[in-house]
Amino acid sequence: MRSGQDLELVHLSKRYGDTTAVDNINHVFLNGSYVCLLGPSGCGKSSTLRMIAGHESVSDGSIVLDGHDISHLSPAQRGTAMMFQNYALFPHLSVRDNVAFSLHMKGVDKPTRHKAADEMLELVDMTHLADRLPDQLSGGQQQRVALARALVTKPRVLLLDEPLSALDPFLRIRMRAELKRLQRELGITFIHVTHGQDEALALADEIVVMNNAVIEQAGPARDVWMAPRTEFVARFMGGHNVISFEGHKIALRADEVRMADTGLPATVTAVEYQGAHVSLTAITPAGEEIVALVPEAAFFAAPKETGEAVSFVWDEGRVHRLQA
Ligand SMILES: Nc1ncnc2c1ncn2[C@@H]1O[C@H](COP(=O)(O)OP(=O)(O)OP(=O)(O)O)[C@@H](O)[C@H]1O
């Protein structure tokens, strides 16, 4: 529900010379929500995040937090904090001093800033490594320090630019759960930039899909997944077929397509065993590709090979007509 404490982007644009990176976007980030900004490389996600943080000037429009226009305030005055992709820790400062650094800059005395830093280190489970230097830490540990350092200023909104991209897949999934836990515990707004659909689905209360400098679709994660509005969103979220059906483009989830004796005829072009499912790719007489994710037991009851004919069916209610 909307409140006076939300973060609002109003007709926000960013231009770099002739390039329009963000084109007149409007959005309300609800207070206390976990929002993922999702989109392909170059769509304007980072520019949007950097404008909110104050690391990039606004070309047009405004950014409103708590009912105040913060568009022209310095990063430290906004009530936002940013955690960078490369963590940007100071190599010569201990973990504790890294976390306390922004308070040092604000003139906070040493005992007070160390106490605040220690509280944050406890929050991210790093108390035991407070005296180490950054290069004595693993990637995951450095990330926790970077998080603690961003949170020590008690921001209203935490901005995370691809926070998990430097981690190996195993650690990424662990840290993902940690981020969600932290956000719930702190109750502040997290805005997390990613180009990973899985990451966005796992984390977000709301997904904002960007494409070509605009917001293509925004909504609860499940709505965006279940009902993509455009061909771009359907393809980008993955797991959907986009095919022509009765004169319209439709999106149809691959796991809703079943093999049957009669139905839409197609010729198998690839079979991929994926454990729980078998992914069957086929081409229709209209030359469109369709993927069926068939439960492995159903597939092996009537296995198919490349070049064979198949027929596909689906429940009519599962089809989404696309806008473009
Ligand atoms: N400092 C800059 N000067 C000129 N053009 C820029 C600058 N920063 C970004 N751009 C351009 O603005 C557009 C949007 O870039 P942005 O970094 O916001 O995209 P992104 O969605 O975050 O991409 P990625 O996932 O690759 O980081 C791109 O075309 C990019 O080349």
Side-chain angles (χ1 to χ4, degrees):
M1 230 178 19
R2 281 196 67 166
S3 74
Q5 295 155 357
D6 302 332
L7 173 74
E8 193 168 355
L9 310 182
V10 186
H11 296 298
L12 189 68
S13 295
K14 178 69 199 176
R15 289 180 292 275
Y16 303 98
D18 293 342
T19 307
T20 300
V22 178
D23 192 6
N24 192 19
I25 64 172
N26 292 289
H27 193 69
V28 176
F29 295 89
L30 294 183
N31 186 37
S33 58
Y34 202 122
V35 186
C36 283
L37 271 186
L38 178 68
S41 187
C43 70
K45 322 179 281 296
S46 300
S47 298
T48 302
L49 202 73
R50 289 199 303 265
M51 280 193 283
I52 298 171
H55 296 301
E56 198 73 77
S57 64
V58 165
S59 303
D60 258 319
S62 51
I63 301 163
V64 177
L65 178 60
D66 276 345
H68 300 291
D69 187 342
I70 60 165
S71 321
H72 303 289
L73 298 181
S74 74
Q77 292 173 317
R78 293 185 172 214
T80 60
M82 178 121 165
M83 193 189 111
F84 296 94
Q85 193 172 1
N86 57 6
Y87 315 141
L89 299 176
F90 297 114
H92 58 288
L93 294 183
S94 70
V95 163
R96 181 181 289 112
D97 286 334
N98 259 288
V99 175
F101 186 77
S102 60
L103 301 180
H104 182 56
M105 294 304 284
K106 282 186 173 163
V108 176
D109 66 76
K110 195 165 172 175
T112 310
R113 63 178 193 257
H114 276 183
K115 184 165 174 285
D118 287 345
E119 274 172 24
M120 289 304 129
L121 286 170
E122 193 175 334
L123 194 66
V124 298
D125 206 11
M126 283 289 292
T127 306
H128 59 300
L129 300 175
D131 297 316
R132 289 228 184 137
L133 292 172
D135 70 359
Q136 297 168 320
L137 302 176
S138 71
Q141 290 165 343
Q142 288 184 29
Q143 192 194 40
R144 285 164 194 270
V145 178
L147 256 177
R149 193 178 56 171
L151 291 170
V152 79
T153 57
K154 305 261 187 227
R156 297 278 323 283
V157 179
L158 182 67
L159 306 164
L160 305 114
D161 194 0
E162 307 225 11
L164 304 175
S165 63
L167 304 176
D168 67 56
F170 177 73
L171 205 54
R172 197 176 304 157
I173 288 174
R174 238 183 64 194
M175 281 309 296
R176 190 161 94 180
E178 284 277 306
L179 283 177
K180 185 87 173 179
R181 175 189 67 80
L182 259 180
Q183 190 268 335
R184 290 287 185 260
E185 217 170 290
L186 296 167
I188 63 172
T189 309
F190 276 30
I191 306 178
H192 173 143
V193 160
T194 176
H195 45 238
Q197 300 83 338
D198 293 354
E199 201 165 294
L201 286 172
L203 283 168
D205 298 315
E206 185 186 34
I207 293 182
V208 176
V209 184
M210 289 189 71
N211 185 30
N212 287 333
V214 298
I215 294 175
E216 183 104 2
Q217 184 168 352
R222 194 150 176 249
D223 288 3
V224 174
W225 166 253
M226 299 280 283
R229 264 209 300 266
T230 63
E231 176 166 357
F232 171 80
V233 175
R235 291 194 188 282
F236 190 75
M237 293 306 294
H240 287 82
N241 292 290
V242 176
I243 54 174
S244 306
F245 188 65
E246 295 174 346
H248 301 289
K249 283 258 173 168
I250 59 158
L252 171 65
R253 273 166 47 175
D255 60 346
E256 302 276 7
V257 180
R258 301 188 304 273
M259 294 195 296
D261 294 333
T262 57
L264 176 70
T267 307
V268 177
T269 55
V271 177
E272 197 176 272
Y273 179 58
Q274 295 181 349
H277 290 92
V278 176
S279 168
L280 202 64
T281 308
I283 195 117
T284 67
E288 290 182 318
E289 193 167 85
I290 182 163
V291 177
L293 217 49
V294 186
E296 63 102 41
F299 178 84
F300 287 107
K304 297 284 178 194
E305 284 181 23
T306 305
E308 274 191 75
V310 278
S311 295
F312 291 129
V313 291
W314 53 84
D315 294 338
E316 222 166 279
R318 312 308 288 184
V319 158
H320 287 278
R321 206 167 132 180
L322 297 169
Q323 281 176 4

